[in-house]
Every structure is written in C-alpha cells, then in structure tokens.
Amino acid sequence: MGILDKVFKKNKAIEYSFDLDLFDKVTTKNYMKRVAVEICIGLIARTIGQSEFFLKVDKNIIKDELYYRLNVRPNKNESASYFWQTVIRKLIYENECLIIKNDSDDLLIADTFTKTEYANYEDVFSHVIVRDYEFKRSFLMNEVVYLRYSNEGLSRLIEEMYSDYGELLGRLMSFQKRKNQIRATVTLEALTGKKEEERAKLQKYIDNLYKSIETKDISITPQTKGHSYEENQKPTSSSNSSVDELNKVTDGFLFQLASLLGIPIALLKGDMADVEKPTRNYIVLCVKPFIKLMKDEFNAKFLDMDEYLNGHRIGIKIISYHNIFDLATAIDKLISSTVLTGNEVRAEIDYERSDDPNMDKHLMTKNYQQLGSDSTEGGEKENDEA
C-alpha cells in the first residue's frame, strides 16, 4: 500500500479521476413482472367486475338492499365494479380475500387480518384492518365472506419464476446497452494544486457534455485548453433479432403466468382466427371457477340451509362472450323440439323469467312427428284435407 500511496501523491490527476461521478449505478427494474401480473389478473378482474349478482327466489330475481349492495354501492367509498375487481386481485395474488360487514351494513375488504383456525369450532378473524382502521372486535366465520384461492402462494410462484426470467432479461438488456454504447475519453490536465472550486466547474462541464451527447441529435463539443473529448467507438446499428430476443423472454414469463391462471395463450396474443374458441375456454376454464367459488361462499353466508333447500339461490351473471342473436337458431331448436320451455331457456342465458304463462309450456313445431307415423297433425293435416 505504501507504493500505491507514493504513486497517487505523484499524480494527483489519477486521484481526481477516481473521484469523478462518471458512471451511474445500475438499477433493477421489475416492470416485466408488473406488466404480466396486470395483464393476467387485470383481465380476470375486469371480466368478473362486469358481472351481475342477484338473489333468486322461486325462479324470480329479488331486487332488494342486498341486490343494491352487490351491484351498485357495496360501501360509501367504492363502486361495485371497483369493489369486485379489488376482491379478485387480492384473491388471486394474495390467495385469499376477507369481506366484512360493518355496523352500517357496508361491505368492506380487509387489507390485513389474523385468522385463528379451529377443528370443532368456527374460525375467528381478529386484528382486521381496513384503510388503516383496525376493528376492535373479532369476526366469526359465519359473519364474514372469506374467499380462498386454490392456487397456493401464487405470489411466491411469481417471484420464483421471475427470478429466472428477470435474470435472463437483465443479461440481454445489459448486452444491448454495451452493444450500442458510445464510448469516449476525456483528456484532462493534471489538477495538482487546483482549488476545489475549479474541480467543481470541471465536473459540471463534463456532466453537461454527457447530457448534451445523450439528449441532442446534434451536439457540438467545445475543445478548451487542457480538455479534449474523443469517441473511441461508434454505436452499432440495432438489429431486429435483438428486440425479438427481449420480446421472447417477456412473452415467456407472461405465458407461464397465464397458464397458471388458466388463460388461453391465443387470447393474450390477440389472434383473430377462431377467437370464439379461446374466449369460450377462458370463460369456462378461468372465469367460471372463480364464479363458482364466489357463489358457494355467498350461498353459505347469505342464505341458511332451509332457504337453500327451498330453491333460494345467489346467482352471478357474467358478461357474455357472444351476441344473443347468434344463439337464435339454437334457441329455436331447443324450444321447437320440446326440450326446454321459453322460461327454461331464459334461465340458461341468465335472463329473468317471463310472467307469460305460455313461456312455461312445451311447444313443438308442426314438422316433428313420431317415427313411422302416416299422419300429420295441425296445420299440415288441415292443408291436406283442403
């Protein structure tokens, strides 16, 4: 170390060059993870956020305070759409979501809580915090809506998966930065004996020089006495293959996350060919399991056993992925073949039943008859006689 000390004492310019703040610290960006999570979880949350919640009694939808709370205003500060989107986000990413009811009958989403589990008694939720307010009381399981996602620790899986993809993406980006980096040298006179004030001016000059080169299309560099700037390497032309490699890494992480949630890859890619099939798979394999989970919990908490056995149901009507007119031919065949009545068809497509008594009758078109029958009925028979 003594030899190095002598060298630095002899050449103060070297010592000064190590003090220059020429290099920025590399920061790790996790935007790839945030974008992938937002695309997948946001898609599911927006889909379910457009659903309609209802209580059906004797095949009729009851529009009461519960209907208003579930579809319009769950609490004083949130709309129903935002409320249910928040529920789905917490349910997927945190694997569970707790909804409580306060003294004003508002539905609130708990930010944090402590759950105490029992084998022969109801679980207890304590230290429930909503927007920095902690409830002093505890809640029993029958007093809350508690949703739990079957995919254990999705956030942990995302972090573990991102650690590999993130490292690979970071290496590719680092390579691209080095590949297209402008490398230059600044020659300075030795600053032995110079004042700290002059050093600060020189540092400001170098900072302005770098900023001018980085931000301006045309940058003129003044060559002052004792200072000279020279570029040693010109940036190479960017290639599309490099961008494709980055996109493949980000898409790989996105598609892995989508597979965990049951979202068809074709739907995320935006493929327009046969878009109905991946949309149907998305509804059936991804959205409906969440709907079933929510319906089971709602029926258990909003209805008692006798009401449920007597046909009372909490239902959820999700957004349709097809136009009602596209189903016209299939509906006509179901009714005309006496398979379903009009009201039974309306129930299948989540429409309210009609009070028209004819909608509860089985109808058959005149072209249906028994196999081997030699006679026809109705209009055809009358036409033959005529």
Side-chain angles (χ1 to χ4, degrees):
M1 293 300 296
I3 298 176
L4 291 178
D5 290 339
K6 293 180 180 179
V7 173
F8 282 118
K9 288 180 181 179
K10 290 181 179 179
N11 194 346
K12 294 293 183 180
I14 298 178
E15 181 181 0
Y16 176 76
S17 67
F18 282 117
D19 291 335
L20 294 179
D21 187 17
L22 301 181
F23 305 100
D24 295 329
K25 293 182 179 179
V26 179
T27 58
T28 303
K29 297 181 179 179
N30 60 349
Y31 71 92
M32 181 178 68
K33 178 178 65 177
R34 296 199 306 269
V35 169
V37 170
E38 178 59 31
I39 289 175
C40 295
I41 298 181
L43 177 63
I44 303 173
R46 290 190 297 272
T47 302
I48 298 180
Q50 299 178 68
S51 302
E52 179 185 3
F53 301 78
F54 56 86
L55 170 62
K56 185 176 288 187
V57 178
D58 295 331
K59 300 182 180 180
N60 294 313
I61 295 179
I62 306 300
K63 296 185 178 181
D64 53 6
E65 182 181 357
L66 178 61
Y67 182 87
Y68 178 82
R69 292 288 185 187
L70 297 179
N71 294 284
V72 182
R73 205 73 178 176
N75 55 64
K76 298 179 179 63
N77 300 308
E78 296 175 325
S79 65
S81 177
Y82 179 82
F83 179 87
W84 293 116
Q85 288 188 44
T86 305
V87 168
I88 295 300
R89 288 176 182 274
K90 289 183 69 67
L91 177 60
I92 297 176
Y93 197 74
E94 299 180 12
N95 200 50
E96 59 183 355
C97 180
L98 177 66
I99 303 174
I100 63 172
K101 187 177 70 171
N102 62 9
D103 296 335
S104 303
D105 290 336
D106 289 334
L107 299 178
L108 303 173
I109 303 173
D111 295 321
T112 60
F113 58 90
T114 300
K115 180 185 176 185
T116 305
E117 298 181 345
Y118 296 97
N120 298 314
Y121 302 98
E122 291 186 69
D123 293 342
V124 178
F125 299 88
S126 57
H127 304 293
V128 178
I129 298 178
V130 178
R131 294 189 177 185
D132 297 330
Y133 175 79
E134 181 176 353
F135 286 82
K136 305 304 180 183
R137 55 162 294 196
S138 298
F139 297 85
L140 297 176
M141 177 61 82
N142 63 15
E143 298 175 318
V144 302
V145 173
Y146 179 65
L147 302 171
R148 187 169 183 177
Y149 188 38
S150 59
N151 194 342
E152 290 286 347
L154 179 63
S155 59
R156 177 177 55 82
L157 292 176
I158 292 176
E159 293 296 337
E160 292 177 355
M161 185 169 59
Y162 176 73
S163 63
D164 295 332
Y165 277 97
E167 181 180 357
L168 180 57
L169 179 66
R171 288 180 178 273
L172 288 175
M173 294 185 67
S174 177
F175 170 74
Q176 290 303 314
K177 288 180 179 180
R178 293 196 307 271
K179 182 178 178 182
N180 297 287
Q181 186 181 50
I182 298 176
R183 294 165 186 164
T185 57
V186 177
T187 303
L188 308 173
E189 280 189 350
L191 298 178
T192 305
K194 298 291 185 180
K195 295 182 179 179
E196 196 66 33
E197 190 176 318
E198 295 180 7
R199 295 185 179 186
K201 288 182 179 179
L202 180 57
Q203 179 66 62
K204 184 177 181 181
Y205 164 77
I206 295 176
D207 292 339
N208 292 335
L209 174 62
Y210 284 166
K211 184 176 181 181
S212 176
I213 295 172
E214 181 182 9
T215 59
K216 295 182 179 179
D217 294 334
I218 300 176
S219 177
I220 300 176
T221 303
Q223 300 292 335
T224 59
K225 182 179 179 181
H227 314 140
S228 63
Y229 171 85
E230 181 181 0
E231 290 187 7
N232 299 324
Q233 180 179 342
K234 299 291 184 180
T236 59
S237 58
S238 59
S239 60
N240 293 331
S241 60
S242 301
V243 178
D244 292 340
E245 290 177 357
L246 293 175
N247 290 336
K248 287 179 180 179
V249 175
T250 55
D251 288 346
F253 178 76
L254 172 62
F255 296 159
Q256 290 284 352
L257 178 58
S259 298
L260 287 174
L261 297 173
I263 302 176
I265 305 301
L267 196 63
L268 296 180
K269 289 183 177 180
D271 295 341
M272 299 306 296
D274 194 16
V275 68
E276 183 177 351
K277 185 176 181 180
T279 304
R280 184 190 300 114
N281 291 339
Y282 163 67
I283 296 296
V284 173
L285 302 177
C286 179
V287 175
K288 283 195 173 181
F290 287 101
I291 296 296
K292 181 65 167 61
L293 176 67
M294 298 169 69
K295 284 168 54 175
D296 289 346
E297 181 68 7
F298 292 164
N299 281 310
K301 299 303 172 62
F302 295 136
L303 304 174
D304 58 33
M305 184 175 66
D306 291 336
E307 290 174 330
Y308 185 84
L309 294 178
N310 288 329
H312 298 190
R313 293 289 186 275
I314 296 291
I316 303 176
K317 179 183 177 182
I318 62 175
I319 184 174
S320 177
Y321 61 90
H322 46 58
N323 192 302
I324 185 64
F325 298 103
D326 297 335
L327 304 176
T329 302
I331 291 174
D332 175 67
K333 298 300 292 184
L334 289 171
I335 294 177
S336 64
S337 61
T338 71
V339 174
L340 295 175
T341 65
N343 273 331
E344 288 173 337
V345 171
R346 292 176 67 89
E348 289 296 324
I349 58 177
D350 291 327
Y351 272 63
E352 293 188 49
R353 64 179 284 107
S354 172
D355 294 330
D356 186 350
N358 291 322
M359 294 294 289
D360 291 313
K361 295 180 180 179
H362 287 280
L363 305 175
M364 178 180 288
T365 57
K366 60 185 180 180
N367 58 325
Y368 282 92
Q369 60 184 9
Q370 289 183 351
L371 184 64
S373 175
D374 296 330
S375 62
T376 57
E377 299 179 0
E380 289 186 352
K381 184 176 181 180
E382 293 175 359
N383 291 337
D384 290 343
E385 292 176 353

PDB file of all heavy atoms in Angstrom, residues 76-104:
ATOM      1  N   LYS A  76     -69.663   3.128   1.221  1.00  0.00           N
ATOM      2  CA  LYS A  76     -69.793   4.559   0.939  1.00  0.00           C
ATOM      3  C   LYS A  76     -68.726   5.086  -0.013  1.00  0.00           C
ATOM      4  O   LYS A  76     -68.891   6.168  -0.592  1.00  0.00           O
ATOM      5  CB  LYS A  76     -69.724   5.347   2.256  1.00  0.00           C
ATOM      6  CG  LYS A  76     -70.846   5.032   3.242  1.00  0.00           C
ATOM      7  CD  LYS A  76     -70.683   5.845   4.510  1.00  0.00           C
ATOM      8  CE  LYS A  76     -71.809   5.565   5.490  1.00  0.00           C
ATOM      9  NZ  LYS A  76     -71.817   4.161   5.950  1.00  0.00           N
ATOM     10  N   ASN A  77     -67.628   4.372  -0.202  1.00  0.00           N
ATOM     11  CA  ASN A  77     -66.494   4.920  -0.939  1.00  0.00           C
ATOM     12  C   ASN A  77     -66.159   4.197  -2.239  1.00  0.00           C
ATOM     13  O   ASN A  77     -65.285   4.665  -2.969  1.00  0.00           O
ATOM     14  CB  ASN A  77     -65.242   4.888  -0.040  1.00  0.00           C
ATOM     15  CG  ASN A  77     -65.418   5.709   1.220  1.00  0.00           C
ATOM     16  OD1 ASN A  77     -65.788   6.882   1.158  1.00  0.00           O
ATOM     17  ND2 ASN A  77     -65.180   5.102   2.372  1.00  0.00           N
ATOM     18  N   GLU A  78     -66.811   3.094  -2.535  1.00  0.00           N
ATOM     19  CA  GLU A  78     -66.423   2.302  -3.697  1.00  0.00           C
ATOM     20  C   GLU A  78     -67.636   1.913  -4.530  1.00  0.00           C
ATOM     21  O   GLU A  78     -68.706   1.635  -3.981  1.00  0.00           O
ATOM     22  CB  GLU A  78     -65.671   1.033  -3.274  1.00  0.00           C
ATOM     23  CG  GLU A  78     -64.347   1.303  -2.594  1.00  0.00           C
ATOM     24  CD  GLU A  78     -63.708   0.023  -2.086  1.00  0.00           C
ATOM     25  OE1 GLU A  78     -64.458  -0.877  -1.658  1.00  0.00           O
ATOM     26  OE2 GLU A  78     -62.471  -0.077  -2.111  1.00  0.00           O
ATOM     27  N   SER A  79     -67.460   1.901  -5.842  1.00  0.00           N
ATOM     28  CA  SER A  79     -68.488   1.369  -6.723  1.00  0.00           C
ATOM     29  C   SER A  79     -68.387  -0.149  -6.748  1.00  0.00           C
ATOM     30  O   SER A  79     -67.364  -0.728  -6.362  1.00  0.00           O
ATOM     31  CB  SER A  79     -68.321   1.927  -8.132  1.00  0.00           C
ATOM     32  OG  SER A  79     -67.098   1.470  -8.697  1.00  0.00           O
ATOM     33  N   ALA A  80     -69.433  -0.792  -7.217  1.00  0.00           N
ATOM     34  CA  ALA A  80     -69.444  -2.257  -7.234  1.00  0.00           C
ATOM     35  C   ALA A  80     -68.373  -2.808  -8.163  1.00  0.00           C
ATOM     36  O   ALA A  80     -67.710  -3.803  -7.847  1.00  0.00           O
ATOM     37  CB  ALA A  80     -70.826  -2.759  -7.656  1.00  0.00           C
ATOM     38  N   SER A  81     -68.183  -2.166  -9.324  1.00  0.00           N
ATOM     39  CA  SER A  81     -67.186  -2.646 -10.282  1.00  0.00           C
ATOM     40  C   SER A  81     -65.785  -2.608  -9.684  1.00  0.00           C
ATOM     41  O   SER A  81     -65.038  -3.587  -9.763  1.00  0.00           O
ATOM     42  CB  SER A  81     -67.243  -1.806 -11.561  1.00  0.00           C
ATOM     43  OG  SER A  81     -66.244  -2.213 -12.469  1.00  0.00           O
ATOM     44  N   TYR A  82     -65.428  -1.478  -9.071  1.00  0.00           N
ATOM     45  CA  TYR A  82     -64.105  -1.357  -8.454  1.00  0.00           C
ATOM     46  C   TYR A  82     -63.972  -2.318  -7.282  1.00  0.00           C
ATOM     47  O   TYR A  82     -62.911  -2.928  -7.079  1.00  0.00           O
ATOM     48  CB  TYR A  82     -63.888   0.080  -7.987  1.00  0.00           C
ATOM     49  CG  TYR A  82     -62.554   0.293  -7.311  1.00  0.00           C
ATOM     50  CD1 TYR A  82     -61.401   0.508  -8.061  1.00  0.00           C
ATOM     51  CD2 TYR A  82     -62.441   0.275  -5.924  1.00  0.00           C
ATOM     52  CE1 TYR A  82     -60.174   0.691  -7.452  1.00  0.00           C
ATOM     53  CE2 TYR A  82     -61.218   0.456  -5.296  1.00  0.00           C
ATOM     54  CZ  TYR A  82     -60.090   0.665  -6.075  1.00  0.00           C
ATOM     55  OH  TYR A  82     -58.873   0.843  -5.465  1.00  0.00           O
ATOM     56  N   PHE A  83     -65.039  -2.490  -6.523  1.00  0.00           N
ATOM     57  CA  PHE A  83     -65.016  -3.366  -5.353  1.00  0.00           C
ATOM     58  C   PHE A  83     -64.694  -4.798  -5.762  1.00  0.00           C
ATOM     59  O   PHE A  83     -63.793  -5.434  -5.188  1.00  0.00           O
ATOM     60  CB  PHE A  83     -66.374  -3.295  -4.655  1.00  0.00           C
ATOM     61  CG  PHE A  83     -66.491  -4.172  -3.438  1.00  0.00           C
ATOM     62  CD1 PHE A  83     -66.098  -3.717  -2.195  1.00  0.00           C
ATOM     63  CD2 PHE A  83     -67.021  -5.461  -3.535  1.00  0.00           C
ATOM     64  CE1 PHE A  83     -66.210  -4.511  -1.064  1.00  0.00           C
ATOM     65  CE2 PHE A  83     -67.135  -6.265  -2.420  1.00  0.00           C
ATOM     66  CZ  PHE A  83     -66.730  -5.792  -1.181  1.00  0.00           C
ATOM     67  N   TRP A  84     -65.395  -5.329  -6.764  1.00  0.00           N
ATOM     68  CA  TRP A  84     -65.192  -6.724  -7.151  1.00  0.00           C
ATOM     69  C   TRP A  84     -63.867  -6.931  -7.871  1.00  0.00           C
ATOM     70  O   TRP A  84     -63.270  -8.002  -7.783  1.00  0.00           O
ATOM     71  CB  TRP A  84     -66.361  -7.203  -7.993  1.00  0.00           C
ATOM     72  CG  TRP A  84     -67.639  -7.265  -7.208  1.00  0.00           C
ATOM     73  CD1 TRP A  84     -68.766  -6.538  -7.400  1.00  0.00           C
ATOM     74  CD2 TRP A  84     -67.887  -8.088  -6.054  1.00  0.00           C
ATOM     75  NE1 TRP A  84     -69.715  -6.849  -6.457  1.00  0.00           N
ATOM     76  CE2 TRP A  84     -69.204  -7.801  -5.621  1.00  0.00           C
ATOM     77  CE3 TRP A  84     -67.144  -9.037  -5.365  1.00  0.00           C
ATOM     78  CZ2 TRP A  84     -69.765  -8.431  -4.511  1.00  0.00           C
ATOM     79  CZ3 TRP A  84     -67.705  -9.657  -4.261  1.00  0.00           C
ATOM     80  CH2 TRP A  84     -69.000  -9.359  -3.849  1.00  0.00           C
ATOM     81  N   GLN A  85     -63.410  -5.915  -8.592  1.00  0.00           N
ATOM     82  CA  GLN A  85     -62.074  -6.028  -9.184  1.00  0.00           C
ATOM     83  C   GLN A  85     -61.013  -6.127  -8.102  1.00  0.00           C
ATOM     84  O   GLN A  85     -60.052  -6.904  -8.216  1.00  0.00           O
ATOM     85  CB  GLN A  85     -61.796  -4.819 -10.086  1.00  0.00           C
ATOM     86  CG  GLN A  85     -62.584  -4.828 -11.382  1.00  0.00           C
ATOM     87  CD  GLN A  85     -62.151  -3.730 -12.329  1.00  0.00           C
ATOM     88  OE1 GLN A  85     -60.966  -3.490 -12.522  1.00  0.00           O
ATOM     89  NE2 GLN A  85     -63.110  -3.051 -12.930  1.00  0.00           N
ATOM     90  N   THR A  86     -61.163  -5.360  -7.031  1.00  0.00           N
ATOM     91  CA  THR A  86     -60.217  -5.422  -5.916  1.00  0.00           C
ATOM     92  C   THR A  86     -60.271  -6.789  -5.236  1.00  0.00           C
ATOM     93  O   THR A  86     -59.241  -7.352  -4.851  1.00  0.00           O
ATOM     94  CB  THR A  86     -60.530  -4.319  -4.896  1.00  0.00           C
ATOM     95  OG1 THR A  86     -60.531  -3.047  -5.550  1.00  0.00           O
ATOM     96  CG2 THR A  86     -59.487  -4.304  -3.782  1.00  0.00           C
ATOM     97  N   VAL A  87     -61.473  -7.342  -5.092  1.00  0.00           N
ATOM     98  CA  VAL A  87     -61.626  -8.666  -4.487  1.00  0.00           C
ATOM     99  C   VAL A  87     -60.864  -9.714  -5.288  1.00  0.00           C
ATOM    100  O   VAL A  87     -60.114 -10.536  -4.730  1.00  0.00           O
ATOM    101  CB  VAL A  87     -63.121  -9.039  -4.394  1.00  0.00           C
ATOM    102  CG1 VAL A  87     -63.286 -10.519  -4.047  1.00  0.00           C
ATOM    103  CG2 VAL A  87     -63.815  -8.180  -3.352  1.00  0.00           C
ATOM    104  N   ILE A  88     -61.021  -9.694  -6.607  1.00  0.00           N
ATOM    105  CA  ILE A  88     -60.369 -10.692  -7.451  1.00  0.00           C
ATOM    106  C   ILE A  88     -58.853 -10.523  -7.412  1.00  0.00           C
ATOM    107  O   ILE A  88     -58.100 -11.506  -7.367  1.00  0.00           O
ATOM    108  CB  ILE A  88     -60.890 -10.595  -8.896  1.00  0.00           C
ATOM    109  CG1 ILE A  88     -62.379 -10.953  -8.935  1.00  0.00           C
ATOM    110  CG2 ILE A  88     -60.118 -11.515  -9.817  1.00  0.00           C
ATOM    111  CD1 ILE A  88     -62.691 -12.353  -8.438  1.00  0.00           C
ATOM    112  N   ARG A  89     -58.376  -9.283  -7.435  1.00  0.00           N
ATOM    113  CA  ARG A  89     -56.927  -9.048  -7.380  1.00  0.00           C
ATOM    114  C   ARG A  89     -56.340  -9.611  -6.092  1.00  0.00           C
ATOM    115  O   ARG A  89     -55.303 -10.278  -6.102  1.00  0.00           O
ATOM    116  CB  ARG A  89     -56.628  -7.551  -7.496  1.00  0.00           C
ATOM    117  CG  ARG A  89     -56.855  -6.983  -8.888  1.00  0.00           C
ATOM    118  CD  ARG A  89     -56.633  -5.487  -8.900  1.00  0.00           C
ATOM    119  NE  ARG A  89     -56.896  -4.928 -10.215  1.00  0.00           N
ATOM    120  CZ  ARG A  89     -56.020  -4.862 -11.195  1.00  0.00           C
ATOM    121  NH1 ARG A  89     -54.793  -5.325 -11.000  1.00  0.00           N
ATOM    122  NH2 ARG A  89     -56.332  -4.330 -12.362  1.00  0.00           N
ATOM    123  N   LYS A  90     -56.970  -9.342  -4.961  1.00  0.00           N
ATOM    124  CA  LYS A  90     -56.467  -9.851  -3.690  1.00  0.00           C
ATOM    125  C   LYS A  90     -56.589 -11.365  -3.636  1.00  0.00           C
ATOM    126  O   LYS A  90     -55.698 -12.052  -3.124  1.00  0.00           O
ATOM    127  CB  LYS A  90     -57.239  -9.216  -2.523  1.00  0.00           C
ATOM    128  CG  LYS A  90     -56.925  -7.744  -2.303  1.00  0.00           C
ATOM    129  CD  LYS A  90     -57.665  -7.204  -1.099  1.00  0.00           C
ATOM    130  CE  LYS A  90     -57.130  -7.785   0.192  1.00  0.00           C
ATOM    131  NZ  LYS A  90     -55.763  -7.352   0.497  1.00  0.00           N
ATOM    132  N   LEU A  91     -57.677 -11.888  -4.155  1.00  0.00           N
ATOM    133  CA  LEU A  91     -57.899 -13.322  -4.114  1.00  0.00           C
ATOM    134  C   LEU A  91     -56.831 -14.076  -4.902  1.00  0.00           C
ATOM    135  O   LEU A  91     -56.315 -15.103  -4.446  1.00  0.00           O
ATOM    136  CB  LEU A  91     -59.286 -13.648  -4.666  1.00  0.00           C
ATOM    137  CG  LEU A  91     -59.675 -15.129  -4.770  1.00  0.00           C
ATOM    138  CD1 LEU A  91     -59.640 -15.789  -3.407  1.00  0.00           C
ATOM    139  CD2 LEU A  91     -61.046 -15.276  -5.405  1.00  0.00           C
ATOM    140  N   ILE A  92     -56.485 -13.565  -6.081  1.00  0.00           N
ATOM    141  CA  ILE A  92     -55.512 -14.259  -6.919  1.00  0.00           C
ATOM    142  C   ILE A  92     -54.097 -14.062  -6.405  1.00  0.00           C
ATOM    143  O   ILE A  92     -53.334 -15.017  -6.238  1.00  0.00           O
ATOM    144  CB  ILE A  92     -55.626 -13.780  -8.376  1.00  0.00           C
ATOM    145  CG1 ILE A  92     -57.002 -14.136  -8.951  1.00  0.00           C
ATOM    146  CG2 ILE A  92     -54.530 -14.413  -9.241  1.00  0.00           C
ATOM    147  CD1 ILE A  92     -57.223 -13.622 -10.353  1.00  0.00           C
ATOM    148  N   TYR A  93     -53.726 -12.822  -6.137  1.00  0.00           N
ATOM    149  CA  TYR A  93     -52.330 -12.538  -5.813  1.00  0.00           C
ATOM    150  C   TYR A  93     -51.985 -12.900  -4.371  1.00  0.00           C
ATOM    151  O   TYR A  93     -50.883 -13.364  -4.089  1.00  0.00           O
ATOM    152  CB  TYR A  93     -52.020 -11.069  -6.074  1.00  0.00           C
ATOM    153  CG  TYR A  93     -50.539 -10.792  -6.159  1.00  0.00           C
ATOM    154  CD1 TYR A  93     -49.812 -11.189  -7.280  1.00  0.00           C
ATOM    155  CD2 TYR A  93     -49.861 -10.176  -5.128  1.00  0.00           C
ATOM    156  CE1 TYR A  93     -48.454 -10.960  -7.365  1.00  0.00           C
ATOM    157  CE2 TYR A  93     -48.502  -9.939  -5.207  1.00  0.00           C
ATOM    158  CZ  TYR A  93     -47.807 -10.333  -6.328  1.00  0.00           C
ATOM    159  OH  TYR A  93     -46.454 -10.113  -6.403  1.00  0.00           O
ATOM    160  N   GLU A  94     -52.940 -12.705  -3.463  1.00  0.00           N
ATOM    161  CA  GLU A  94     -52.667 -12.993  -2.055  1.00  0.00           C
ATOM    162  C   GLU A  94     -53.265 -14.325  -1.613  1.00  0.00           C
ATOM    163  O   GLU A  94     -53.138 -14.706  -0.456  1.00  0.00           O
ATOM    164  CB  GLU A  94     -53.206 -11.865  -1.178  1.00  0.00           C
ATOM    165  CG  GLU A  94     -52.563 -10.514  -1.478  1.00  0.00           C
ATOM    166  CD  GLU A  94     -53.122  -9.409  -0.602  1.00  0.00           C
ATOM    167  OE1 GLU A  94     -53.839  -9.735   0.378  1.00  0.00           O
ATOM    168  OE2 GLU A  94     -52.853  -8.238  -0.890  1.00  0.00           O
ATOM    169  N   ASN A  95     -53.963 -14.996  -2.516  1.00  0.00           N
ATOM    170  CA  ASN A  95     -54.513 -16.331  -2.275  1.00  0.00           C
ATOM    171  C   ASN A  95     -55.736 -16.340  -1.368  1.00  0.00           C
ATOM    172  O   ASN A  95     -56.331 -17.392  -1.145  1.00  0.00           O
ATOM    173  CB  ASN A  95     -53.452 -17.272  -1.698  1.00  0.00           C
ATOM    174  CG  ASN A  95     -53.814 -18.733  -1.878  1.00  0.00           C
ATOM    175  OD1 ASN A  95     -54.158 -19.157  -2.965  1.00  0.00           O
ATOM    176  ND2 ASN A  95     -53.778 -19.494  -0.798  1.00  0.00           N
ATOM    177  N   GLU A  96     -56.143 -15.191  -0.862  1.00  0.00           N
ATOM    178  CA  GLU A  96     -57.323 -15.129  -0.007  1.00  0.00           C
ATOM    179  C   GLU A  96     -57.844 -13.698   0.038  1.00  0.00           C
ATOM    180  O   GLU A  96     -57.115 -12.742  -0.249  1.00  0.00           O
ATOM    181  CB  GLU A  96     -57.000 -15.608   1.413  1.00  0.00           C
ATOM    182  CG  GLU A  96     -55.919 -14.800   2.097  1.00  0.00           C
ATOM    183  CD  GLU A  96     -55.574 -15.353   3.475  1.00  0.00           C
ATOM    184  OE1 GLU A  96     -56.245 -16.302   3.919  1.00  0.00           O
ATOM    185  OE2 GLU A  96     -54.634 -14.831   4.101  1.00  0.00           O
ATOM    186  N   CYS A  97     -59.129 -13.563   0.377  1.00  0.00           N
ATOM    187  CA  CYS A  97     -59.734 -12.237   0.492  1.00  0.00           C
ATOM    188  C   CYS A  97     -60.842 -12.308   1.540  1.00  0.00           C
ATOM    189  O   CYS A  97     -61.666 -13.237   1.524  1.00  0.00           O
ATOM    190  CB  CYS A  97     -60.297 -11.778  -0.854  1.00  0.00           C
ATOM    191  SG  CYS A  97     -61.067 -10.138  -0.807  1.00  0.00           S
ATOM    192  N   LEU A  98     -60.845 -11.340   2.429  1.00  0.00           N
ATOM    193  CA  LEU A  98     -61.828 -11.291   3.514  1.00  0.00           C
ATOM    194  C   LEU A  98     -62.727 -10.068   3.316  1.00  0.00           C
ATOM    195  O   LEU A  98     -62.245  -8.944   3.189  1.00  0.00           O
ATOM    196  CB  LEU A  98     -61.130 -11.212   4.870  1.00  0.00           C
ATOM    197  CG  LEU A  98     -62.054 -11.078   6.087  1.00  0.00           C
ATOM    198  CD1 LEU A  98     -62.883 -12.350   6.266  1.00  0.00           C
ATOM    199  CD2 LEU A  98     -61.246 -10.782   7.348  1.00  0.00           C
ATOM    200  N   ILE A  99     -64.046 -10.305   3.287  1.00  0.00           N
ATOM    201  CA  ILE A  99     -65.044  -9.230   3.177  1.00  0.00           C
ATOM    202  C   ILE A  99     -65.857  -9.242   4.466  1.00  0.00           C
ATOM    203  O   ILE A  99     -66.413 -10.282   4.858  1.00  0.00           O
ATOM    204  CB  ILE A  99     -65.966  -9.444   1.966  1.00  0.00           C
ATOM    205  CG1 ILE A  99     -65.151  -9.544   0.675  1.00  0.00           C
ATOM    206  CG2 ILE A  99     -66.983  -8.317   1.861  1.00  0.00           C
ATOM    207  CD1 ILE A  99     -65.981  -9.891  -0.543  1.00  0.00           C
ATOM    208  N   ILE A 100     -65.926  -8.092   5.125  1.00  0.00           N
ATOM    209  CA  ILE A 100     -66.682  -7.979   6.371  1.00  0.00           C
ATOM    210  C   ILE A 100     -67.813  -6.969   6.193  1.00  0.00           C
ATOM    211  O   ILE A 100     -67.840  -6.207   5.219  1.00  0.00           O
ATOM    212  CB  ILE A 100     -65.777  -7.546   7.547  1.00  0.00           C
ATOM    213  CG1 ILE A 100     -65.206  -6.149   7.276  1.00  0.00           C
ATOM    214  CG2 ILE A 100     -64.660  -8.548   7.769  1.00  0.00           C
ATOM    215  CD1 ILE A 100     -64.473  -5.564   8.464  1.00  0.00           C
ATOM    216  N   LYS A 101     -68.739  -6.973   7.142  1.00  0.00           N
ATOM    217  CA  LYS A 101     -69.845  -6.010   7.156  1.00  0.00           C
ATOM    218  C   LYS A 101     -69.759  -5.193   8.439  1.00  0.00           C
ATOM    219  O   LYS A 101     -69.668  -5.752   9.532  1.00  0.00           O
ATOM    220  CB  LYS A 101     -71.187  -6.742   7.073  1.00  0.00           C
ATOM    221  CG  LYS A 101     -72.382  -5.812   6.917  1.00  0.00           C
ATOM    222  CD  LYS A 101     -73.683  -6.589   6.768  1.00  0.00           C
ATOM    223  CE  LYS A 101     -74.076  -7.261   8.055  1.00  0.00           C
ATOM    224  NZ  LYS A 101     -75.440  -7.838   8.013  1.00  0.00           N
ATOM    225  N   ASN A 102     -69.785  -3.860   8.297  1.00  0.00           N
ATOM    226  CA  ASN A 102     -69.703  -3.015   9.481  1.00  0.00           C
ATOM    227  C   ASN A 102     -71.098  -2.741  10.037  1.00  0.00           C
ATOM    228  O   ASN A 102     -72.096  -3.306   9.579  1.00  0.00           O
ATOM    229  CB  ASN A 102     -68.952  -1.710   9.159  1.00  0.00           C
ATOM    230  CG  ASN A 102     -69.664  -0.881   8.098  1.00  0.00           C
ATOM    231  OD1 ASN A 102     -70.802  -1.174   7.713  1.00  0.00           O
ATOM    232  ND2 ASN A 102     -69.000   0.154   7.617  1.00  0.00           N
ATOM    233  N   ASP A 103     -71.185  -1.848  11.007  1.00  0.00           N
ATOM    234  CA  ASP A 103     -72.466  -1.567  11.656  1.00  0.00           C
ATOM    235  C   ASP A 103     -73.449  -0.867  10.733  1.00  0.00           C
ATOM    236  O   ASP A 103     -74.651  -0.845  11.014  1.00  0.00           O
ATOM    237  CB  ASP A 103     -72.230  -0.717  12.914  1.00  0.00           C
ATOM    238  CG  ASP A 103     -71.426  -1.460  13.965  1.00  0.00           C
ATOM    239  OD1 ASP A 103     -71.465  -2.713  13.940  1.00  0.00           O
ATOM    240  OD2 ASP A 103     -70.753  -0.809  14.781  1.00  0.00           O
ATOM    241  N   SER A 104     -72.950  -0.266   9.642  1.00  0.00           N
ATOM    242  CA  SER A 104     -73.823   0.401   8.674  1.00  0.00           C
ATOM    243  C   SER A 104     -74.203  -0.504   7.515  1.00  0.00           C
ATOM    244  O   SER A 104     -74.731  -0.026   6.503  1.00  0.00           O
ATOM    245  CB  SER A 104     -73.137   1.665   8.134  1.00  0.00           C
ATOM    246  OG  SER A 104     -72.789   2.547   9.174  1.00  0.00           O
TER     247      SER A 104
END
